[in-house]
Amino acid sequence: MGTTLAGKSVELFRDMLPSVRRVGILGHTTNPVYAKTMLDKVLLVAGPIGIEIQPVVMVRGPEEFESAFQTFVRERADATVVQGSLGIKSVADLAIKYRLPTASTSRGFADTGGLMSFGPNEPAAFRYSAKFVQSILQGTHPKDLPIEQSTKFELVINLKTAKAIGLTIPEAFLWRADAVLE
C-alpha cells in the first residue's frame, strides 16, 4: 500500500503547489523490490498529470542523505517524495535546509518537520490490529485470518515547515487536511 500512497503524494503536491512540474524520489536500496514498485506507482500517477519524476536517488544509509538533497536541488526538483522507511527527522531537517517540499507516508514524518504526510491513520490501524491479536489469543490460527489493509487515511500538513521553506499553502488545500500542524 505504501507504494500506491507515494503516487498519491505526487497528486497532492500538484494540488497543493500547482507550479510543481518535477518531483524527485528518495528511496532506500536495502529493499530494491519495494523501491522499484514505488517508482512504478509514482510514474503511473505522474505521467497523466504532467509531472516529471526526476531525479530518482537511492541511498544506502543516512550518510548519503545530504548528497541526495544536493542532487534534488542541482537537478531542480520542485518537490520530493520520500520512501516511508526514510521518513525520519534527519530527512525532514535536510528538506528544510534545502527549502524543498517533501512528503512521506508516515504521520511521524510531518510530526518531526516534514512538510506533508499521507498514509494510514496509525492509531486506527493499531486499534484494528488488536482484533487480530484477540482472535489469535482465542485460538484462531494466523493463517486463517484474512489479509486486510487500512481503510482510514490522513493528510497532515506542517505549516511551520511550510513557513520555514517559504511556501504559502492555499487555504482550499488546508481544508482537505485531517491535521494542520502549526
Side-chain angles (χ1 to χ4, degrees):
M1 178 179 292
T3 59
T4 301
L5 296 176
K8 181 67 176 173
S9 293
V10 173
E11 289 179 341
L12 290 167
F13 272 132
R14 184 224 31 217
D15 295 348
M16 181 196 318
L17 306 167
S19 64
V20 168
R21 296 289 174 256
R22 190 174 171 101
V23 174
I25 302 296
L26 180 61
H28 201 262
T29 61
T30 60
N31 190 341
V33 173
Y34 181 90
K36 181 184 180 332
T37 304
M38 180 181 106
L39 181 58
D40 290 346
K41 296 286 185 178
V42 167
L43 290 168
L44 185 68
V45 169
I49 62 173
I51 303 288
E52 179 184 6
I53 302 300
Q54 282 295 329
V56 176
V57 179
M58 296 293 160
V59 296
R60 288 183 296 271
E63 67 281 355
E64 296 178 357
F65 292 163
E66 182 101 23
S67 174
F69 275 88
Q70 291 169 349
T71 299
F72 294 133
V73 170
R74 184 178 60 253
E75 295 192 23
R76 293 185 164 80
D78 298 314
T80 300
V81 175
V82 176
Q83 183 173 327
S85 62
L86 296 176
I88 56 176
K89 183 166 179 25
S90 58
V91 171
D93 290 346
L94 285 166
I96 292 169
K97 176 181 176 179
Y98 287 96
R99 302 176 57 88
L100 187 62
T102 306
S104 192
T105 56
S106 168
R107 163 77 189 245
F109 184 67
D111 288 340
T112 62
L115 176 64
M116 175 173 62
S117 67
F118 181 76
N121 178 292
E122 291 168 0
F126 285 122
R127 281 191 302 276
Y128 193 74
S129 67
K131 292 179 183 181
F132 287 95
V133 172
Q134 180 183 11
S135 293
I136 292 168
L137 292 175
Q138 291 175 340
T140 304
H141 198 279
K143 71 177 176 94
D144 296 329
L145 292 171
I147 295 173
E148 297 186 37
Q149 295 187 25
S150 294
T151 57
K152 186 174 183 181
F153 300 90
E154 65 179 348
L155 171 62
V156 181
I157 306 296
N158 188 322
L159 277 185
K160 183 178 176 185
T161 297
K163 290 175 188 169
I165 64 175
L167 284 180
T168 301
I169 298 176
E171 196 67 33
F173 189 82
L174 291 174
W175 279 103
R176 294 171 56 181
D178 298 291
V180 176
L181 310 175
E182 298 186 63

